[in-house]
Amino acid sequence: MLTAKNKKKSRLSNINREYDIIIVGGGITGANILWDATLRGYRCLLLEKSDYASGTSQATSKLIHGGLRYLKNLEFSLVRESLRERRILAKITPHAMRPMGFLIPIRSLYAKLILWAGMFLYNLFSFDRNEEILDEVKIPRYIWNSFEETIYKSPNIHPKNVIGSFQYYDYLNVNPERHTCEFIFSAKKKGAHAYNYAKVSSISKTFSGKAYQVKIDDSISGETIYTQTKVLINSAGPWADYIDALAGIPTDTKIIRSKGIHAVVRNICDKECVVAQKRDGSHLFVIPWRNRTIIGTTDVRYDQHPDQFSVTEKDLQELIDDINYAYGFSNLTLNDIVYFYGGLRPLVEDTNHKDETYSASRKAEIFHYNKDGYPGVFAALGGKYTTSRSVAEKIVNQIDIYFGYTDKVCKTKDELLIGAYQKPRLELIRELQAKFPKVSGRKIEILTFRYGTIAEKMLAKPGKYEIPLANGEIFFEEEIDYLCEEEEIIKASDLFFRRSGIGTVGRLGREQLNIVIDHLAKKLSWDQKRKKEEMAEIEKRYLWNR
């Protein structure tokens, strides 16, 4: 039965008495499961204890890639799956994908031969890479660069012993946090329910034993509400084993956690991402991104509770030291860091790699706890951002079997998400310029580049001011209005670091920060105390633990 601690209207009041599927976890895996299951006609509810995409999904290298290095582990099926999913994401979310070249400096003929074999296989496994996608997101074949071409394309590479470089292509995903949210908001437009800041605090079997009662705590209002579901899916990432334990499922360790750190620094590279090798043989990316450079990632086993995760000065200093060694003439210091982020990768436990995680597989595993006495409880563990759509398809296929359906079909290979377009972006821009002749072409181009077709709804709003960001980009008043009205902005951090990314390129100036916070306060009815709290939370996000 649906109950609440008090009778006043709450934001959870629209929650149904029962669902076909409840999904715990609002990262990229949960978002894809919600999208797939909703398109198949299931009544779905997604619950996230923080904001959507605030865990592992915000801690990526912002790449949609096939996983070239997995070839070394002979994980051919994972590479093929990743390359297939890379193409599908370019098809259903072209507005979020940017083809980008990756340079791998070569310093010996032996390395050239080995990597040529890798390039050949990578190209072979991506034979269909450009099928059914727009020209603007098509990916070229790999090439070989001479020494001179390599240094021209990336002058900061240390030239010692370099004989040339291989250049291959994957995608840059400019804002994976927003991209994740687009799956959720697309599902909601099809009838799904989803709530951020809604924590699952208990899971228990109903009296009949054929369903599960879920207790939900609203972190914003403090209210508690109960609902039921026939199927429960645990997609809580690094918290997955804790959700299993909450349901009473035997807690044999099934995942390990890998700590990954990235830093956003001054621009130290050109148009291509450089793959640099560390002293221990592992690799770092030097990624051009929004007039900045992202460096990362680290890959260290993490054994504490995921709620205790933090990025320390020691973490960042080690990353800076590694990039200064591996990349060449960067000469970075902690003062060059304008933003940093980190997270925990949930990896399926591998007995061959218990002490280190860099070589651990990124494959996903799906569990149904029917044999443990919990029919209808599923878990998706491990995996990588790029293959999350495929993982969702597999788990919803199992749910179809569990319910006894034979006529449901996965539609996520073809269904476009909000923001996606089926025509070249330049054609969309021309149409918007004709529809909004009084709006500057610059604004139309910027908003279309960021949001795809959603730009039209933003341009329909009256906007007066512009906010210069720390990297030279411009942010518009219309963006705040639309995002507050349509995309569940609860806290300032939701806007700054996930829906728009205005805070991920460095601090705003005090004047600009005040303008944005004041506007949010007006849209969301914050008082002065709340404004100060939100301001302090934003400022705190740029401080690392010492």
Side-chain angles (χ1 to χ4, degrees), residues 220-252:
I220 305 304
S221 69
E223 291 183 274
T224 294
I225 206 164
Y226 293 85
T227 187
Q228 293 183 9
T229 184
K230 299 171 186 176
V231 165
L232 182 77
I233 302 178
N234 178 359
S235 63
W239 290 268
D241 46 357
Y242 292 95
I243 296 298
D244 283 351
L246 195 65
I249 297 169
T251 55
D252 293 338

Coordinates of all heavy atoms in Angstrom, one line a residue, residues 220-252:
I220 N 15.2 15.5 0.0 CA 14.9 16.9 -0.1 C 13.8 17.3 1.0 O 14.0 18.2 1.8 CB 14.4 17.3 -1.5 CG1 15.4 16.9 -2.5 CG2 14.1 18.8 -1.5 CD1 16.8 17.4 -2.3
S221 N 12.7 16.6 1.0 CA 11.6 16.9 2.0 C 11.7 16.2 3.3 O 11.1 16.5 4.3 CB 10.3 16.7 1.3 OG 10.1 15.2 1.1
G222 N 12.5 15.0 3.3 CA 12.5 14.2 4.5 C 11.4 13.2 4.6 O 11.3 12.4 5.5
E223 N 10.5 13.2 3.6 CA 9.4 12.3 3.6 C 9.8 10.9 3.2 O 10.8 10.6 2.6 CB 8.3 12.8 2.6 CG 7.6 14.1 3.0 CD 6.5 14.5 2.1 OE1 6.8 15.1 1.1 OE2 5.4 14.1 2.3
T224 N 8.9 9.9 3.6 CA 9.1 8.5 3.3 C 7.8 8.0 2.6 O 6.7 8.4 3.0 CB 9.4 7.7 4.6 OG1 10.6 8.1 5.1 CG2 9.4 6.2 4.2
I225 N 8.0 7.2 1.6 CA 6.9 6.6 0.9 C 7.2 5.2 0.5 O 8.4 4.8 0.4 CB 6.6 7.5 -0.4 CG1 5.2 7.4 -0.8 CG2 7.6 7.1 -1.5 CD1 4.8 8.4 -1.8
Y226 N 6.2 4.4 0.4 CA 6.4 2.9 0.0 C 5.7 2.6 -1.3 O 4.6 3.2 -1.6 CB 5.8 2.0 1.1 CG 6.5 2.1 2.4 CD1 6.2 3.1 3.4 CD2 7.4 1.2 2.8 CE1 6.8 3.1 4.6 CE2 8.1 1.2 4.0 CZ 7.8 2.2 4.9 OH 8.4 2.2 6.1
T227 N 6.2 1.7 -2.0 CA 5.6 1.2 -3.2 C 6.0 -0.2 -3.5 O 6.9 -0.7 -2.7 CB 5.9 2.1 -4.5 OG1 5.2 1.6 -5.6 CG2 7.4 2.0 -4.8
Q228 N 5.5 -0.9 -4.5 CA 5.8 -2.3 -4.7 C 6.2 -2.5 -6.2 O 5.9 -1.7 -7.0 CB 4.6 -3.2 -4.4 CG 4.2 -3.2 -2.9 CD 3.0 -4.2 -2.7 OE1 2.6 -4.9 -3.6 NE2 2.5 -4.1 -1.4
T229 N 6.9 -3.5 -6.4 CA 7.3 -3.9 -7.8 C 7.4 -5.4 -8.0 O 7.7 -6.1 -7.0 CB 8.7 -3.2 -8.1 OG1 9.0 -3.5 -9.4 CG2 9.8 -3.8 -7.2
K230 N 7.1 -5.8 -9.2 CA 7.2 -7.2 -9.5 C 8.7 -7.6 -9.8 O 9.1 -8.7 -9.5 CB 6.4 -7.5 -10.8 CG 4.9 -7.2 -10.6 CD 4.1 -7.3 -11.9 CE 2.7 -6.9 -11.7 NZ 2.0 -6.9 -13.0
V231 N 9.4 -6.6 -10.4 CA 10.9 -6.9 -10.7 C 11.7 -5.7 -10.1 O 11.3 -4.5 -10.2 CB 11.1 -7.0 -12.2 CG1 12.6 -6.8 -12.6 CG2 10.6 -8.3 -12.7
L232 N 12.8 -6.0 -9.5 CA 13.7 -5.0 -9.0 C 15.1 -5.2 -9.7 O 15.6 -6.3 -9.7 CB 13.9 -5.2 -7.5 CG 14.8 -4.2 -6.8 CD1 14.1 -2.9 -6.6 CD2 15.3 -4.7 -5.4
I233 N 15.6 -4.1 -10.2 CA 16.9 -4.2 -10.9 C 17.9 -3.3 -10.1 O 17.7 -2.1 -9.9 CB 16.8 -3.7 -12.3 CG1 15.8 -4.5 -13.1 CG2 18.2 -3.8 -13.0 CD1 15.6 -4.0 -14.5
N234 N 19.0 -3.9 -9.7 CA 20.1 -3.3 -9.0 C 21.1 -2.8 -10.0 O 21.9 -3.6 -10.6 CB 20.7 -4.2 -8.0 CG 21.9 -3.6 -7.2 OD1 22.2 -2.5 -7.4 ND2 22.5 -4.4 -6.3
S235 N 21.1 -1.5 -10.3 CA 22.1 -0.9 -11.2 C 22.9 0.2 -10.4 O 23.1 1.3 -11.0 CB 21.5 -0.4 -12.4 OG 20.6 0.7 -12.1
A236 N 23.2 -0.1 -9.2 CA 23.8 1.0 -8.3 C 25.3 1.1 -8.4 O 25.9 1.8 -7.6 CB 23.4 0.7 -6.9
G237 N 25.9 0.5 -9.4 CA 27.3 0.6 -9.6 C 28.1 0.2 -8.4 O 28.0 -0.9 -7.9
P238 N 29.0 1.1 -7.9 CA 29.9 0.8 -6.8 C 29.1 0.5 -5.5 O 29.7 -0.1 -4.6 CB 30.7 2.1 -6.6 CG 30.6 2.8 -7.9 CD 29.3 2.5 -8.5
W239 N 27.8 0.8 -5.5 CA 27.0 0.6 -4.3 C 26.2 -0.7 -4.5 O 25.3 -1.0 -3.6 CB 26.1 1.7 -4.0 CG 26.7 3.0 -3.6 CD1 26.9 3.4 -2.3 CD2 27.2 4.0 -4.4 NE1 27.6 4.6 -2.2 CE2 27.8 5.0 -3.5 CE3 27.3 4.2 -5.7 CZ2 28.4 6.2 -4.0 CZ3 27.9 5.4 -6.2 CH2 28.5 6.3 -5.3
A240 N 26.4 -1.5 -5.6 CA 25.5 -2.6 -5.9 C 25.5 -3.6 -4.8 O 24.4 -4.2 -4.5 CB 26.0 -3.2 -7.2
D241 N 26.6 -4.0 -4.2 CA 26.6 -5.0 -3.2 C 25.9 -4.6 -1.9 O 25.3 -5.4 -1.2 CB 28.0 -5.5 -2.9 CG 29.0 -4.4 -2.7 OD1 28.7 -3.2 -2.8 OD2 30.2 -4.7 -2.4
Y242 N 25.9 -3.3 -1.7 CA 25.1 -2.7 -0.5 C 23.6 -2.8 -0.8 O 22.8 -3.0 0.2 CB 25.6 -1.3 -0.2 CG 27.0 -1.2 0.3 CD1 28.0 -1.0 -0.6 CD2 27.3 -1.5 1.6 CE1 29.4 -0.9 -0.1 CE2 28.6 -1.4 2.1 CZ 29.6 -1.1 1.2 OH 30.9 -1.1 1.7
I243 N 23.2 -2.6 -2.0 CA 21.8 -2.8 -2.3 C 21.4 -4.2 -2.2 O 20.3 -4.5 -1.7 CB 21.5 -2.2 -3.7 CG1 21.8 -0.7 -3.8 CG2 20.0 -2.5 -4.1 CD1 20.9 0.1 -2.8
D244 N 22.2 -5.1 -2.7 CA 21.9 -6.6 -2.5 C 21.8 -6.9 -1.0 O 20.8 -7.6 -0.7 CB 23.1 -7.4 -3.1 CG 23.1 -7.5 -4.6 OD1 22.1 -7.0 -5.2 OD2 24.0 -8.0 -5.2
A245 N 22.6 -6.4 -0.2 CA 22.6 -6.7 1.2 C 21.3 -6.1 1.8 O 20.7 -6.7 2.7 CB 23.8 -6.1 1.9
L246 N 20.9 -4.9 1.3 CA 19.7 -4.3 1.8 C 18.4 -5.2 1.5 O 17.5 -5.2 2.3 CB 19.5 -2.9 1.1 CG 18.5 -1.9 1.7 CD1 18.9 -1.5 3.1 CD2 18.3 -0.7 0.7
A247 N 18.5 -5.9 0.4 CA 17.4 -6.8 0.1 C 17.5 -8.1 0.8 O 16.6 -8.9 0.7 CB 17.3 -7.0 -1.4
G248 N 18.6 -8.4 1.5 CA 18.8 -9.6 2.2 C 19.4 -10.7 1.3 O 19.5 -11.9 1.7
I249 N 19.9 -10.3 0.1 CA 20.5 -11.3 -0.8 C 21.9 -11.6 -0.2 O 22.7 -10.7 0.2 CB 20.6 -10.7 -2.2 CG1 19.2 -10.5 -2.7 CG2 21.4 -11.6 -3.1 CD1 19.1 -9.7 -4.0
P250 N 22.4 -12.9 -0.3 CA 23.7 -13.3 0.2 C 24.8 -12.4 -0.4 O 24.8 -12.1 -1.6 CB 23.9 -14.7 -0.3 CG 22.5 -15.2 -0.4 CD 21.6 -14.1 -0.8
T251 N 25.7 -11.8 0.4 CA 26.6 -10.8 0.0 C 28.0 -11.3 -0.4 O 29.0 -10.8 0.1 CB 26.7 -9.7 1.1 OG1 27.1 -10.4 2.3 CG2 25.4 -9.0 1.3
D252 N 28.1 -12.4 -1.1 CA 29.4 -12.9 -1.6 C 29.9 -11.8 -2.5 O 29.2 -11.3 -3.3 CB 29.2 -14.2 -2.3 CG 28.8 -15.4 -1.4 OD1 29.1 -15.2 -0.2 OD2 28.3 -16.3 -1.9

